[in-house]
Amino acid sequence: MTTDTRDFLGYGANPPDPRWPGGARVAVSFVVNVEEGAELSIIDGDERNEAVYEVTDEVKGGPDPCRDTHFEYGTRVGYHRIMRVLDAHGAPSTLNACGRAIQRSPWLAQDAVARGHEVACHGWRWERHAGMEEAHERATIARAVAAIRDACGTAPIGWHTRSAPSANTRRLLLEHGGFLYDSDAYSDDLPFFTRVGATRHLVLPYSFDTNDMHFHQGSQRFTTAAHFTEYCVDAYDALWEEGADHPRMLSIGLHLRMIGRAGRIAGLDRLLRHMRDKGGAWFARRDSIARHWIARFPEA
């Protein structure tokens, strides 16, 4: 990869009009990350324990039941709590699901599909792909897709790598086939097309700021449910104002073991209430946004 692959201009001052359904000003994409059971754990035969989670003390060289049970909370309790809130507001979401997590909790993917949510692929393990050897990455993609297909009956059409992808990831996704979009970019508030060889490929940017990850990872920028709500409300309101002339997309990242806690879930409910009351939102799965964008901007 060389510097001439980077795009510092994007759409510039005059982005395209996506004409979101219903004349919406903002396409709102809730992304529910399902990573529980895919994190590194010595008791699962991994090389080490996961170091990134709410409790900062890392156990090295042996099992870490403190960390393990923090992750287990996500599927045991957090998932059900988040689904109740999303369903109450009629907000479909996209599950960014690791293959190993879904292999261990196939009921979760099946329940999400039954509720009308999308299940996209978040890798096999909860790991970055940067520096991954190409043959290993190819096999990893195939294994993750197979796990989701086995649980859901259909293969995922969306992909998002934890943290950084490799230089080969996007090409390998197209080589595998079946992917309509990936979210391995953070560079815009609208989808955009890129070229992978001779193929036009759609990218739906993701966001790390409107994301409950800030309850964790040492920063604790969000310490209460109200902090999460306030930040995401401000983001929505700014995009809503811009959306009068230039409609946008807002991605909001959620995690089962993070926003799914009893002391935080009210933040999600308040956010959805605000968006509903203000109006102008199209709550959409990422595959719906992708299909809309492709139909709106067909290849010449």
Side-chain angles (χ1 to χ4, degrees):
M1 184 175 292
T2 58
T3 56
D4 62 5
T5 65
R6 299 180 67 188
D7 179 1
F8 291 95
L9 177 61
Y11 292 122
N14 296 294
D17 184 354
R19 298 180 187 172
W20 300 130
R25 294 187 179 197
V26 187
V28 179
S29 168
F30 285 100
V31 177
V32 181
N33 292 276
V34 181
E35 299 152 347
E36 288 75 6
E39 79 282 2
L40 300 178
S41 176
I42 284 178
I43 65 169
D44 289 333
D46 295 321
E47 62 274 18
R48 61 176 177 82
N49 292 314
E50 182 57 55
V52 179
Y53 70 116
E54 187 160 11
V55 177
T56 57
D57 292 332
E58 181 185 358
V59 174
K60 298 181 179 180
D64 185 352
C66 178
R67 181 206 53 81
D68 289 345
T69 53
H70 268 84
F71 275 85
E72 289 161 15
Y73 185 94
T75 51
R76 290 165 63 109
V77 181
Y79 170 78
H80 304 286
R81 192 171 278 145
I82 292 169
M83 288 297 111
R84 283 196 295 271
V85 172
L86 292 176
D87 290 353
H89 291 280
S93 72
T94 292
L95 272 64
N96 257 5
C98 294
R100 191 168 82 173
I102 295 304
Q103 186 181 71
R104 303 177 80 162
S105 301
W107 63 266
L108 188 151
Q110 293 156 8
D111 180 78
V113 170
R115 293 172 184 265
H117 303 282
E118 174 195 9
V119 180
C121 196
H122 196 28
W124 169 247
R125 298 196 310 186
W126 188 46
E127 61 185 349
R128 63 185 182 185
H129 281 215
M132 191 177 286
E133 194 274 329
E134 182 173 337
H136 176 63
E137 184 173 16
R138 181 181 290 109
T140 295
I141 291 170
R143 190 179 187 187
V145 169
I148 293 174
R149 184 183 61 239
D150 289 348
C152 299
T154 57
I157 63 172
W159 173 278
H160 180 220
T161 312
R162 174 193 175 180
S163 187
S166 78
N168 302 314
T169 302
R170 193 163 282 158
R171 174 175 57 82
L172 291 174
L173 293 176
L174 268 64
E175 176 189 298
H176 184 279
F179 285 100
L180 190 66
Y181 71 90
D182 76 63
S183 296
D184 284 343
Y186 308 85
S187 53
D188 214 301
D189 291 322
L190 284 175
F192 59 87
F193 291 105
T194 189
R195 287 281 169 183
V196 183
T199 302
R200 187 179 77 152
H201 177 67
L202 182 62
V203 179
L204 268 63
Y206 189 53
S207 176
F208 279 173
D209 69 313
T210 47
N211 194 306
D212 68 358
M213 65 190 284
H214 295 296
F215 285 118
H216 278 209
Q217 299 188 350
S219 67
Q220 290 189 311
R221 297 182 183 98
F222 301 152
T223 56
T224 70
H227 292 155
F228 170 83
T229 304
E230 181 181 9
Y231 190 92
C232 292
V233 162
D234 284 348
Y236 179 75
D237 287 354
L239 295 176
W240 186 93
E241 290 289 345
E242 294 178 11
D245 300 312
H246 300 299
R248 303 288 191 175
M249 181 181 84
L250 172 62
S251 297
I252 299 175
L254 308 173
H255 296 73
L256 306 185
R257 64 195 179 277
M258 298 181 196
I259 201 71
R261 292 280 173 174
R264 298 169 181 157
I265 194 64
L268 178 59
D269 182 65
R270 291 171 192 151
L271 172 61
L272 277 155
R273 289 182 187 278
H274 174 82
M275 292 175 171
R276 286 286 185 201
D277 291 344
K278 192 177 187 75
W282 174 39
F283 298 111
R285 300 161 24 148
R286 289 177 95 76
D287 58 347
S288 298
I289 295 172
R291 290 192 173 98
H292 177 88
W293 196 267
I294 290 168
R296 175 78 179 89
F297 302 104
E299 191 164 17

